[in-house]
Amino acid sequence: MVHITSIHAYLQRLPLKQPYAIAYQTIYETEIVFLEIALSNGIIGYGASNPFPEVIGETPEQTLGLLQSESIQKHIGKSIDAYREIISDCCRDLPDYPGTQAALDIALHDAYGKVMQQPIAALYGQVIASLPTSITIGIKTLPEMIEDATHYYHQGFRILKLKTGISVDEDIERCIKLYEHFGDQFRYRVDANLGYNFASLNKFIHETAHLPIELIEQPLPVSENQALVQFAEPVRMKFVADESLTSISSAEKLLQHPHPFGVFNIKLMKAGGILAGKHIADTAASKGISIFWGCNDESLVSITAALHLAYACPNTKYLDLDGSFDVLEHVFSGGFILENGHMRLNGKPGLGVYKK
């Protein structure tokens, strides 16, 4: 029997290559909690968490403390074959801490995949080989956005996600001017991060109707989701649930007819890891909802974990897994291969990531 011999957590603060603004804050660095689970055969499984307190109410410091607590450390000595039971136990013991759940879940999956000599995507039945990811531009002046978009174009990216939500008039102008400048060289998505009210969202939709905007992410505050059902179904199919989708229970509420959102943004940091993310994706698939895999500013470890799961879900349609691109210093390498904006897994066991 291969069993767990140690569970070690630590926190690192990593600067971003450049700060970026969203509707409610400017971000300069990211705090990542790493987890290492050592096995009796010498294998180490790696996990990582970057909980966003504004969304899930959990801080990185809380995550670190919980991973070092008896609630997690009690699993030392257990067989790695019991990884699903250990994850379920963590969810029962710590139901309000998805960031902690995610770190443990990812590390256990990595360790188990390495023992089985299979990538995590293969464990769940990989159905997708490669998809393009969007690349995010924060709220900036128009010249700065054009400069960033030009840089990303030369790097091979063809999907822009534009942060919006502070001024709808400026958002409309920037979207129109970007399209006038680049035309169909890019596909466009916008993310308001709760920043609009119904009137401003209606104005944005009406005045950008001629633009090829494929998705509008979380335009209204969570408490106003039902207002979205006033839009025609073709418009609602563009709406992406993000801050509104934090658990399987919230997913089930959003799936009640009529659906306010046509797409679900699953982030492992909100869902609580791979097992919970798969549950949400499968539940959404039963109602014809497409999946958009998102992230925060994260480690290569958790981004790769999301990619493995994305490629094992048939209803995966969109990737927004650019969260490790902005981190200035990386602790890990490997995981996935990025070519012309497309992401594919490296085919190695577990996550396929390596500590530098």
Side-chain angles (χ1 to χ4, degrees), residues 45 132 252 258:
E252 290 170 346

Side-chain angles (χ1 to χ4, degrees), residues 21 87 93 158 182 321 323 355:
I87 294 167
D93 285 353
R158 295 296 181 267
F182 293 103
L321 293 178
K355 193 172 182 181

Side-chain angles (χ1 to χ4, degrees), residues 16 18-28 136-141 144-145 148 161-166 174 191-193 297:
L16 302 181
Q18 57 178 335
Y20 71 91
I22 61 177
Y24 51 82
Q25 66 176 310
T26 299
I27 300 168
Y28 298 90
T136 304
I137 298 179
I139 299 173
K140 299 182 175 184
T141 65
E144 289 174 320
M145 295 177 77
D148 283 355
K161 188 171 93 164
L162 310 175
K163 290 290 187 178
T164 61
I166 293 179
R174 288 167 181 155
D191 182 4
N193 285 115
D297 288 309

Side-chain angles (χ1 to χ4, degrees), residues 265-266 268 277 281 291-295 306 309-310 313 316 318-321:
N265 178 340
I266 299 179
L268 298 191
I291 301 300
F292 173 113
W293 295 91
C295 60
L309 182 53
C313 294
T316 292
Y318 309 100
L319 295 184
D320 180 43
L321 293 178

Side-chain angles (χ1 to χ4, degrees), residues 293-306:
W293 295 91
C295 60
N296 304 328
D297 288 309
E298 298 181 26
S299 163
L300 187 77
V301 173
S302 53
I303 294 293
T304 302

